[in-house]
Amino acid sequence: MGSAASAAAPPPPPPAQPHMAAPPYGAGLAGILPPKPDGEEEGKKKEVEKVDYLNLPCPVPFEEIQREALMSLKPELFEGLRFDFTKGLNQKFSLSHRVLTDGRLNARVKCDLTDDLTMKINAQLTHEPHYSQGMFNFDYKGTDYRAQFQIGNNAFYGANYIQSVTPNLSMGTEIFWLGHQRKSGIGFASRYNSDKMVGTLQVASTGIVALSYVQKVSEKVSLASDFIYNHMSRDVTSSFGYDYMLRQCRLRGKIDSNGVVAAYLEERLNMGVNFLLSAEIDHSKKNYKFGFGMTVGE
């Protein structure tokens, strides 16, 4: 018994490791890098959402491809007094008139022939000979494309087509023929738009290259810029503008590389009645234009 008591007790066995447990730092980089969250693993397993190219949205009309930029950079500036009247005769027919103090009278008729086909007549009458203008437009709206045919005075004929390529990108082309001047041309355009920005590019055989960009800062504020290069005359112009929506009015303005500053204010006085203020200042040419106007109608 003495020998048994004097014998040292065997050391306790080491704690059991879980089956297939990795060492504290794992094997290689797998043990050093932090574990990936479950959401990332699940996201990789999900298939990338495919674009349904047979169900693309309908693009904006070709002539309005820069409409967001034009709202800020090229508002309808005028000099003197102006009065606009618009009347919707029914759901498919509307008529608008514009009278200016310089003797010009603009008239526009819009008629929806069908749900997809629209006819528009634009006319401008002046007291100066050979300066009156008239234009007939026939617009067709498809599911993911638009087409337009134009006929105007001076033997003008034009056509354009624009197609949605992706949910955010649309591309189009236009051609025209001016019979009295024996001139023709062709142009290409593309437009990319998202919830926060709109970018456009236009190239024409007349030598014009135009780019525009609009950034939607908020629901009420938009900033716009453009760049225009004329290959024939080697002229380059650029401008920067803004569009600010207030509670009762809308303020738009711009400044360009030629030093021309312009502002356009449209204030809502009542339902269907707006008051207009227009100002354009060209310091280099000492040219100043100011206008007051009113719009009435729907």
Side-chain angles (χ1 to χ4, degrees):
M1 294 183 57
S3 60
S6 61
Q17 293 279 347
H19 184 63
M20 298 298 293
Y25 292 99
L29 294 177
I32 300 176
L33 297 177
K36 297 180 180 180
D38 296 338
E40 184 176 349
E41 293 291 341
E42 294 177 359
K44 288 185 177 181
K45 294 179 181 179
K46 293 181 180 179
E47 295 183 358
V48 179
E49 184 179 356
K50 296 183 179 179
V51 178
D52 185 5
Y53 290 99
L54 299 179
N55 191 24
L56 295 175
C58 185
V60 301
F62 188 93
E63 59 183 4
E64 299 179 13
I65 196 171
Q66 291 183 329
R67 62 184 182 186
E68 292 86 358
L70 296 179
M71 293 294 287
S72 303
L73 303 176
K74 292 185 179 180
E76 297 178 314
L77 302 173
F78 61 95
E79 185 178 12
L81 299 177
R82 191 181 98 183
F83 178 77
D84 295 353
F85 176 76
T86 303
K87 177 64 176 178
L89 303 181
N90 53 49
Q91 294 182 352
K92 295 187 176 182
F93 192 83
S94 63
L95 180 65
S96 61
H97 292 86
R98 173 176 296 173
V99 181
L100 298 167
T101 53
D102 59 2
R104 286 182 295 167
L105 172 62
N106 295 348
R108 180 181 182 183
V109 178
K110 181 180 178 182
C111 180
D112 294 331
L113 302 178
T114 65
D115 293 338
D116 300 324
L117 182 61
T118 301
M119 180 186 68
K120 292 183 290 185
I121 303 174
N122 297 298
Q124 182 181 90
L125 305 177
T126 66
H127 59 275
E128 300 179 4
H130 309 295
Y131 278 88
S132 297
Q133 299 178 2
M135 183 76 69
F136 290 84
N137 295 342
F138 296 91
D139 301 329
Y140 183 80
K141 178 182 177 182
T143 55
D144 58 355
Y145 68 91
R146 288 178 183 265
Q148 183 184 75
F149 181 70
Q150 300 171 318
I151 304 175
N153 61 332
N154 297 324
F156 174 84
Y157 300 94
N160 59 63
Y161 177 87
I162 186 169
Q163 171 75 53
S164 291
V165 182
T166 70
N168 301 105
L169 178 64
S170 57
M171 305 180 71
T173 183
E174 66 172 344
I175 57 174
F176 71 88
W177 165 256
L178 192 56
H180 283 190
Q181 300 181 10
R182 299 293 180 179
K183 290 184 179 180
S184 62
I186 184 172
F188 301 93
S190 62
R191 169 188 167 98
Y192 184 87
N193 64 281
S194 64
D195 296 336
K196 295 295 184 179
M197 58 79 65
V198 178
T200 66
L201 168 64
Q202 289 184 286
V203 180
S205 60
T206 54
I208 300 295
V209 178
L211 299 92
S212 70
Y213 178 82
V214 178
Q215 179 68 44
K216 300 177 183 179
V217 181
S218 65
E219 295 182 356
K220 296 183 178 180
V221 181
S222 297
L223 302 178
S225 62
D226 70 350
F227 175 87
I228 301 175
Y229 172 67
N230 191 328
H231 179 71
M232 301 299 181
S233 61
R234 304 294 182 179
D235 291 335
V236 177
T237 58
S238 60
S239 57
F240 174 81
Y242 60 89
D243 187 356
Y244 189 18
M245 297 287 294
L246 299 173
R247 183 176 180 181
Q248 293 291 335
C249 69
R250 183 175 190 176
L251 178 62
R252 289 171 277 172
K254 67 144 189 177
I255 181 171
D256 61 24
S257 56
N258 296 323
V260 179
V261 182
Y264 187 85
L265 175 68
E266 185 177 3
E267 183 174 0
R268 181 179 179 182
L269 302 179
N270 204 341
M271 181 67 68
V273 180
N274 296 329
F275 177 68
L276 307 177
L277 287 176
S278 175
E280 184 178 18
I281 301 176
D282 189 346
H283 293 285
S284 61
K285 297 181 179 180
K286 305 297 182 181
N287 190 9
Y288 311 100
K289 298 179 181 179
F290 299 95
F292 305 88
M294 183 171 291
T295 64
V296 178
E298 302 173 356

